[in-house]
Amino acid sequence: MDELEHFEGAATIEKVASLCRRRGFVFPTSDIYGGLGSSFDFGHYGVLLAQNIKSEWQRSMIQERDDMVALDSAVILNPQVWVASGHVEGFSDPMVDCRTCKLRFRADHIGTSACGKKPSKHPGEHSECDLTEPRHFNLMFETHVGALRDDASVAYLRPETAQGIFVNFKNVTSSLRVKPPFGIAQIGKSFRNEITPGNFLFRVREFEQMEMEFFVPPADADEWHRYWIEQRVNWHTGLGVRPSHLRVRAHEADELSHYSSATSDIEYLFPIGWQELEGVANRGDYDLRQHSEASGTTLEWIGHEERYVPYVIEPALGVGRAFLTFLCDAYDEEVVAERPRTLLRLHPRIAPVKVAVLPLVGKDTALVERARPLYEELRRSMSAEYDDAAAIGKRYRRQDEIGTPWALTIDEQTLADGTITLRDRDTLQQERIPLDGARRLLLDKLEQPWHPRL
Ligand code: GAP
């Protein structure tokens, strides 16, 4: 496959961010106080979309497998965890400061950063630039536990959910029926004091991660690494991400994290170019050995005739980064009957609202009396909306913009023959279906494969 150079579609990060704000998906946090650099709050449709993404991840990771268990560990762990994991020592970015403009830049991003005095130049290129040597800046947020604020009370907000899994290895293997190869999956918040956050949800300081640690016999690690890369690519394309916008890129030796012996990024062609969407790492036995040594508790697999420290394969994905990917891929603009429409061609299973129920004329009591019970029946099985305000065209457009795949319209003919109109968001086709069978029909459609337009 020829590699694409540019994102194909109507989306830009700005357009997606603007739709998110306009339609109540995502707001800048603490907005009335001027925000807090690159922190966001999720509104109604954002909560529903993020929830659907997490449910699909859990469904594929846990519900549809018999070699996986769930975990929800604390955000603030014993600080020794982060010493043993290597994060206190090594979870840092090299930074340079400019003594003139007082700005701070990531040393490895100088070539893409803007000088504070003259934004058309890079830091160091302007005659007044006075850069320091690179210094390491730890990305973990510090806090204090308990009443005293001294060195002994320092703790950290977790920068990854993974360590909560490793330190529970013994609890899980001794309480649940698991045996390598098996995985522990967890979704939760992580925090990083990123120096250069930006591009809307792409890089933020507070974000949710969906991480899974898969424990395998060491000799099988490479094979499982390949397996999980393939599984994870299929998850994204199965939920509608265009395959031409995805690629797998193996890390060079000098890019590898301190714990990793091999990592492949699943990259997405964002409107800003190819960027990491999800990492799939082979962490070897690094974490279990580090925690065994530091805690004095042996973390290994003990079978009938075998005893070893498992290797770990880890697919790790940010909820917000997946959210942004689905939106960029789904965002579309077109002109229909000389009128522009903006729509989100989201996979029906992740769309925040599955169906809108619309009486053709909102003031017509007879239509409303048929529409309300249908809506109440549907919402017991799926996320549904009822809307009888404004002209029907305007209501359709609003649903298109939040990505609702189907609209059901109740009109005069419904009163005569009990049929309603089913409108498809993507094709704009309308067909008449019996009102009585609508719920069953939509539930069946939700189970069927769905393909994006390309
Ligand atoms: N436990 C391994 C780990 O955390 P990572 O590559 O640093 O690996 C995994 O993070 C995923 O988490 C990334 O691929 C990305 O989807 C998401 N992620 C990481 N840092 C993020 C940030 N600052 N903002 C949003 N998402 C982030």
Side-chain angles (χ1 to χ4, degrees), residues 243-282:
S244 59
H245 278 177
L246 288 172
R247 72 178 183 191
V248 176
R249 189 183 69 81
H251 278 205
E252 304 289 338
D254 61 355
E255 286 179 85
L256 291 174
S257 312
H258 60 273
Y259 50 74
S260 171
S261 51
T263 294
S264 284
D265 284 344
I266 299 172
E267 295 189 331
Y268 176 71
L269 182 52
F270 287 93
I272 50 170
W274 287 104
Q275 299 283 344
E276 173 183 347
L277 165 61
E278 169 163 9
V280 187
N282 177 352

Side-chain angles (χ1 to χ4, degrees), residues 91 159-162 192 194 201-209 211 213 257 259 265 276-279 281 283 314 316-322:
F91 193 60
E160 61 170 12
T161 63
R192 296 182 190 177
E194 299 279 5
L201 298 174
F202 181 80
R203 184 170 288 112
V204 290
R205 297 197 171 100
E206 173 179 344
F207 53 99
E208 268 186 304
Q209 286 188 306
E211 297 201 287
E213 311 301 321
S257 312
Y259 50 74
D265 284 344
E276 173 183 347
L277 165 61
E278 169 163 9
R283 298 181 75 127
E314 174 200 67
L317 172 63
V319 175
R321 211 168 278 187

